[in-house]
Amino acid sequence: MADYEPLTDVEQQLQTNRRATRVASLDVFRGLCVFLMMLVDYGGSVFPIISHSPWDGIHLADFVMPFFLFIAGLSPALAYKKVPNRAEATWKAVLRAVKLFLLGVLLQGGYLHGVNSLTYGVDIEKIRWMGVLQRISIGYIVAALCEIWLTCRTWRQEGFFKSYFWHWCIAFSLSAVYMLLLYGLYVPNWQFTAPAWASSLSPSNDSNVYTVRCEVRGDLGPACNSAGMIDRYILGVDHLYMKPAYRNLKECKISDDQDCSPPWCDAPFDPEGILSSLTAAVTCIFGLQYGHILADLQERLTKWSLLSISSFILGLLLAFAGIPVNKSLYTVSYMLITSASAGITFCALYLLVDVYGSRRLTSVLEWMGMHSLSIFVLITSNLAIIAIQGFYWTAPENNIVHWIISRLVHA
């Protein structure tokens, strides 16, 4: 039997460093995203100020999606740092994106009916194809393909921007195509069939078909924007999100001097639609660049701060120039401001957790981040709440979930 010598202190330290290569702030940031999602989902009805902005503007809930996209884009920079076989890496990335997309369709396509109904099932003709996980999967595959095929690893000595020149070209091209389509497409009049719960509409005919008059170009309002038109043509009006946030706009609420609201108030609109997925993918490319800085190990905080501050300032300048900060359209100004905010938040967490080692303060968030997909599935599908609803007194309506909701509503 061979003799084994005890490890020296230096060798033990090296092995400890190898085992501790996982950056804890990544899990903490991911856990923060999940926590914010839970906060705005369950607290938004009680505190409307934290729920999604009805249209232009930004609330706390409007940061959740960009934060998820940011961390989804950051991951490929670490996962594909060394790619011996690009074709194999591409297949794995595509397969992962497809799985994520299909899971999103199952969770948010209408198959599960939520806490107010214990039934399930969806009409294929009305299934919602886009959603949160679907958008993340699209952004992820864009970032992953950029990292696998467009990273010039031999240029590292020439500077950060030159090393990833083609990544920035893709980000600029996606933004340019988005702006061209958003402002350049002509939006004609369009029709939709009002759902049964749309009591705010005055009856115009027996078929409940309503016409939204547009005939404009470059309109960024809820009714006549080109993002909605693209979704209606490609996905179909029956496959869009049925309760968009703009229903909370002032003009969509019936008052004493208003018999009915405009028809578009009850029309479907998907905030995770096709056109806005272009700029959402740019957020993932931003996250990818933060991942490159994380992998390079040199002047991380300085580079992250410069990129975040410059993006935030550019976003503010575009907002003041007339490009609204709009989550539903995922405008360029919104993309820059929220991406920069994600970067600043990640910098703060990295400094707190990985530099100063204060992991006890964020241990819960770190755990949530390590199990983020499982928690997302439980929250989005309401499986945990539905399981609790199974215990009731005399009638199914007399359960603890409905009791808590009724208390919060009447508080």
Side-chain angles (χ1 to χ4, degrees):
M1 180 179 291
D3 294 331
Y4 293 93
E5 297 180 359
L7 293 174
T8 64
D9 292 341
V10 175
E11 290 171 330
Q12 289 178 346
Q13 184 63 37
L14 287 174
Q15 287 198 359
T16 301
N17 290 341
R18 291 191 188 100
R19 289 195 297 266
T21 53
R22 187 180 182 93
V23 181
S25 54
L26 291 174
D27 291 323
V28 174
F29 186 90
R30 200 176 286 112
L32 177 64
C33 295
V34 175
F35 172 77
L36 290 177
M37 180 190 70
M38 295 169 61
L39 177 64
V40 299
D41 279 353
Y42 295 114
S45 58
V46 182
F47 305 102
I49 192 62
I50 69 173
S51 62
H52 288 291
S53 174
W55 196 245
D56 291 339
I58 190 167
H59 293 175
L60 179 62
D62 300 316
F63 286 95
V64 176
M65 172 60 79
F67 277 31
F68 272 119
L69 291 168
F70 176 88
I71 201 65
L74 192 152
S75 301
L78 305 178
Y80 303 110
K81 186 177 181 181
K82 295 181 180 179
V83 184
N85 189 324
R86 290 183 174 180
E88 182 181 354
T90 300
W91 169 249
K92 290 181 178 179
V94 171
L95 187 60
R96 184 178 183 183
V98 170
K99 289 179 179 178
L100 202 61
F101 190 97
L102 294 178
L103 179 60
V105 173
L106 175 64
L107 294 176
Q108 294 187 299
Y111 184 80
L112 301 169
H113 296 171
V115 298
N116 294 322
S117 174
L118 301 181
T119 61
Y120 62 92
V122 61
D123 184 353
I124 296 298
E125 294 184 351
K126 296 183 178 180
I127 192 170
R128 182 189 177 198
W129 295 116
M130 306 299 285
V132 174
L133 289 183
Q134 296 93 308
R135 167 155 290 181
I136 293 175
S137 69
I138 294 172
Y140 167 79
I141 193 59
V142 171
L145 292 178
C146 284
E147 183 64 16
I148 294 170
W149 293 97
L150 300 179
T151 298
C152 300
R153 293 172 174 82
T154 59
W155 294 2
R156 289 185 183 274
Q157 67 274 15
E158 297 187 22
F160 174 73
F161 285 95
K162 289 185 178 180
S163 298
Y164 306 105
F165 171 77
W166 291 110
H167 295 189
W168 295 107
C169 288
I170 294 295
F172 179 80
S173 299
L174 290 175
S175 301
V177 171
Y178 168 85
M179 294 288 285
L180 181 64
L181 295 177
L182 184 67
Y183 286 95
L185 288 180
Y186 174 79
V187 181
N189 298 335
W190 56 281
Q191 293 181 328
F192 73 99
T193 302
W197 43 261
S199 58
S200 60
L201 293 175
S202 60
S204 59
N205 52 58
D206 295 335
S207 61
N208 288 330
V209 175
Y210 295 86
T211 300
V212 180
R213 302 194 177 279
C214 294
E215 297 182 335
V216 293
R217 193 188 308 271
D219 187 277
L220 301 188
C224 300
N225 61 80
S226 59
M229 181 190 70
I230 291 174
D231 290 337
R232 290 190 295 272
Y233 273 104
I234 297 178
L235 301 176
V237 68
D238 292 329
H239 297 283
L240 306 182
Y241 185 50
M242 298 303 296
K243 297 181 180 180
Y246 62 62
R247 294 179 61 211
N248 295 319
L249 287 170
K250 183 178 180 180
E251 52 263 48
C252 292
K253 295 182 178 180
I254 300 177
S255 58
D256 295 336
D257 55 349
Q258 183 180 0
D259 295 333
C260 62
S261 59
W264 55 263
C265 288
D266 289 295
F269 178 85
D270 211 315
E272 282 82 41
I274 296 173
L275 182 60
S276 56
S277 293
L278 298 180
T279 40
V282 177
T283 297
C284 284
I285 296 178
F286 265 93
L288 186 64
Q289 308 315 310
Y290 283 80
H292 293 149
I293 297 172
L294 180 63
D296 284 344
L297 302 175
Q298 295 180 352
E299 299 179 346
R300 289 174 172 175
L301 290 174
T302 301
K303 293 178 181 178
W304 282 334
S305 300
L306 288 175
L307 186 56
S308 298
I309 294 173
S310 59
S311 301
F312 192 85
I313 292 175
L314 180 58
L316 288 179
L317 291 176
L318 291 177
F320 284 119
I323 298 178
V325 180
N326 188 298
K327 187 264 180 187
S328 297
L329 296 176
Y330 217 105
T331 56
V332 175
S333 58
Y334 168 82
M335 179 266 295
L336 289 169
I337 291 174
T338 53
S339 298
S341 300
I344 294 171
T345 304
F346 181 73
C347 284
L349 292 176
Y350 176 79
L351 191 64
L352 176 67
V353 177
D354 291 303
V355 176
Y356 292 113
S358 303
R359 296 182 66 171
R360 288 187 178 181
L361 297 175
T362 56
S363 58
V364 176
L365 292 179
E366 185 176 352
W367 180 86
M368 293 174 66
M370 296 175 68
H371 304 86
S372 56
L373 184 58
S374 299
I375 297 174
F376 182 89
V377 171
L378 289 174
I379 297 300
T380 307
S381 63
N382 292 303
L383 288 177
I385 297 178
I386 291 174
I388 298 174
Q389 281 183 318
F391 299 93
Y392 58 85
W393 182 264
T394 306
E397 293 78 14
N398 298 329
N399 60 74
I400 189 171
V401 175
H402 283 191
W403 182 83
I404 293 175
I405 294 175
S406 63
R407 289 286 180 176
L408 290 175
V409 171
H410 295 94

